[in-house]
């Protein structure tokens, strides 16, 4: 079994926004696992158990320590440190580049000196992989993974195909009239009791026509972090790019966009293509799977090996594939969507995507 590890940590913005995310093998008894938060001088700030289960993702259980759900947690110090331990074994002792390495003078890591893992600004987090590398995440997401709900129809040269029925080597159409080859379709199941406990695990429904005239063509269901294309003059004025990708949860509150109620289970699918692309899902432009640190820790070891076979660069814990479109910081995403709602403007202009009938037979 793999060692537990700190998969994400947010330490700026105040105790109410700070959190630590821990990943363990599915079914692991976490009763003896401790997360110790240290002050800059090495003294213990808090000792925390894994009280709050978030989700299970492809063989891994995810736990969250934050100021809302944890009885002991009181935030982090940017010059402090965090240790992850179990019965005297210290799996990790990390600190941030805002300060110097910390030498613990108590607690689980007593006498050890922390390893610096990088720096994240306010509103950002550091995301880790099983190998120990960390990268900056501009949109912190406790236990979240971007994916399509089973049954979502994806545009291909042969017509629309349910995402779970796509096979390696199949071609899909992107929003700009190109063809892109499928590499993998990976899956994730969320049980009903998990979704009832955590709203963030439920799909978001984007009603037909909620993004613009005829887009999507039918109700579209995606996870909260799945990014949707916005193409409008407002985006151009605010972000110097007429087309950007925005997380689905940012649209909640717009007419026709909301979380769906709990069900017995949800089955999500990640669509991995030969390159990151904006595909047409139920006629609306949505991103495919982006190979980066957060997406790699969300899949099984077997799936990671398959992804690495196609993308050897993904072995590097700091690798992030080029994005098909700009991805603004989450605060800019929120302001962009708010501006559209305030002015009752469509998120997608009529000419945002290429007509499928004009794209058949074209190579990407």
């Amino acid at each position: 079994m793999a060692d537990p590890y700190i998969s994400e940590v947010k330490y700026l913005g105040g105790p109410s926004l700070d959190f630590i995310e821990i990943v363990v093998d599915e079914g692991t008894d976490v009763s003896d696992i401790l997360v110790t938060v240290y002050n800059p001088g090495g003294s213990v700030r808090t000792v925390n158990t894994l009280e709050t289960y978030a989700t299970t993702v492809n063989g891994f259980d995810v736990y969250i320590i934050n100021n809302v759900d944890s009885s002991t947690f009181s935030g982090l110090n940017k010059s402090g440190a965090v240790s992850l331990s179990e019965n005297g074994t210290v799996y990790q002792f990390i600190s941030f580049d805002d300060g110097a390495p910390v030498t613990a003078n108590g607690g689980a890591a007593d006498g050890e000196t922390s390893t610096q893992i990088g720096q994240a600004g306010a509103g950002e987090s550091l995301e880790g992989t099983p190998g120990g590398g960390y990268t900056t995440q501009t949109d912190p997401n406790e236990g979240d993974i971007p994916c399509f709900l089973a049954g979502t129809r994806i545009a291909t040269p042969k017509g629309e195909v349910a995402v779970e029925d796509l096979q390696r080597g199949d071609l899909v159409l992107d929003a700009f009239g190109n063809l892109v080859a499928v590499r993998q379709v990976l899956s994730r199941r969320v049980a009903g009791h998990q979704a009832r406990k955590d709203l963030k695990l439920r799909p978001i429904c984007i009603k037909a026509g909620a993004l613009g005239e005829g887009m999507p063509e039918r109700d579209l269901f995606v996870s909260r972090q799945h990014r949707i294309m916005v193409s409008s003059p407002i985006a151009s004025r605010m972000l110097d790019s007429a087309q950007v990708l925005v997380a689905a949860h940012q649209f909640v509150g717009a007419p026709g966009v909301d979380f769906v109620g709990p069900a017995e289970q949800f089955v999500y699918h990640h669509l991995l293509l030969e390159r990151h692309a904006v595909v047409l899902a139920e006629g609306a432009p949505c991103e495919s799977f982006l190979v980066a640190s957060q997406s790699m820790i969300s899949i099984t070891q077997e799936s990671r090996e398959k992804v690495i076979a196609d993308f050897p660069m993904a072995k590097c814990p700091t690798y992030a594939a080029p994005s098909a479109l700009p991805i603004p910081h989450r605060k800019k995403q929120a302001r962009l969507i708010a501006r559209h709602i305030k002015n009752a403007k469509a998120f997608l202009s009529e000419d945002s995507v290429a007509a499928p009938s004009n794209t058949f037979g074209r190579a990407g």
Side-chain angles (χ1 to χ4, degrees):
M1 295 180 66
D3 290 341
Y5 69 98
I6 299 170
S7 54
E8 187 171 5
V9 57
K10 185 182 184 309
Y11 62 89
L12 281 181
S16 65
L17 299 178
D18 292 351
F19 68 81
I20 305 169
E21 179 185 85
I22 308 296
V23 168
V24 301
D25 285 335
E26 184 176 359
T28 297
D29 179 358
V30 300
S31 57
D32 293 323
I33 294 178
L34 297 178
V35 176
T36 305
V37 178
Y38 286 88
N39 294 311
S43 61
V44 173
R45 178 169 176 161
T46 59
V47 178
N48 311 274
T49 58
L50 301 189
E51 301 176 50
T52 307
Y53 164 82
T55 186
T56 296
V57 184
N58 289 326
F60 296 99
D61 290 338
V62 182
Y63 290 83
I64 301 298
I65 296 172
N66 59 29
N67 196 52
V68 175
D69 302 309
S70 305
S71 60
T72 52
F73 186 70
S74 63
L76 299 160
N77 187 299
K78 67 179 183 180
S79 299
V82 181
S83 75
L84 175 65
S85 63
E86 183 178 23
N87 293 325
T89 299
V90 178
Y91 297 114
Q92 288 180 280
F93 186 32
I94 62 171
S95 53
F96 319 115
D97 289 357
D98 302 74
V102 174
T103 299
N105 54 35
D110 189 23
E112 297 190 22
T113 299
S114 63
T115 299
Q116 305 282 86
I117 62 169
Q119 187 174 31
E124 298 177 336
S125 66
L126 290 168
E127 289 185 339
T129 65
Y134 287 83
T135 56
T136 301
Q137 165 63 260
T138 60
D139 191 4
N141 46 66
E142 304 168 64
D144 262 337
I145 303 159
C147 35
F148 294 106
L149 195 65
T152 301
R153 286 165 284 194
I154 307 297
T156 80
K158 299 179 181 180
E160 294 181 310
V161 177
V163 62
E164 64 268 30
D165 293 332
L166 291 169
Q167 302 292 321
R168 183 181 182 87
D170 287 348
L171 297 176
V172 300
L173 292 165
D174 75 6
F176 311 109
N178 301 307
L179 297 178
V180 191
V182 174
R183 288 290 180 259
Q184 307 278 344
V185 178
L186 310 170
S187 64
R188 167 198 183 187
R189 295 179 183 272
V190 175
H193 73 274
Q194 297 170 333
R196 285 188 290 272
K197 181 179 180 181
D198 189 348
L199 177 68
K200 294 186 301 182
L201 298 178
R202 300 182 192 177
I204 287 174
C205 175
I206 302 175
K207 292 286 188 182
L211 299 175
E213 186 65 31
M215 291 180 284
E217 297 171 355
R218 295 166 295 275
D219 292 356
L220 171 66
F221 297 88
V222 295
S223 62
R224 70 185 297 273
Q225 285 295 341
H226 205 118
R227 299 184 186 99
I228 313 297
M229 186 175 83
V230 172
S231 177
S232 70
I234 294 177
S236 184
R237 289 194 298 271
M238 292 183 64
L239 303 170
D240 295 324
S241 178
Q243 296 172 325
V244 296
L245 292 172
V246 175
H249 69 88
Q250 300 284 8
F251 294 84
V252 172
V257 183
D258 203 353
F259 288 94
V260 304
E264 286 305 310
Q265 74 171 1
F266 300 109
V267 182
Y268 290 109
H269 294 278
H270 320 288
L271 179 59
L272 175 65
L273 305 179
E274 60 183 320
R275 58 175 170 81
H276 188 240
V278 179
V279 300
L280 297 175
E282 306 295 4
C286 306
E287 70 168 340
S288 64
F289 184 92
L290 178 61
V291 179
S293 59
Q294 179 65 14
S295 57
M296 291 297 284
I297 68 170
S298 72
I299 56 180
T300 64
Q301 179 61 35
E302 180 181 1
S303 295
R304 282 196 293 273
E305 291 172 357
K306 291 179 180 179
V307 173
I308 290 170
D310 285 318
F311 299 92
M313 305 82 72
K315 288 187 293 185
C316 174
T318 60
Y319 174 75
S323 174
L325 288 176
I327 302 173
H329 187 277
R330 64 188 182 92
K331 290 184 179 179
K332 292 183 177 180
Q333 292 183 29
R335 288 196 291 268
L336 175 65
I337 299 306
R339 184 74 60 84
H340 278 83
I341 295 173
K342 179 180 179 180
N343 292 285
K345 296 295 185 180
F347 300 108
L348 293 166
S349 57
E350 293 183 5
D351 59 351
S352 295
V353 301
S357 59
N358 296 329
T359 61
F360 294 165
R362 293 177 58 184

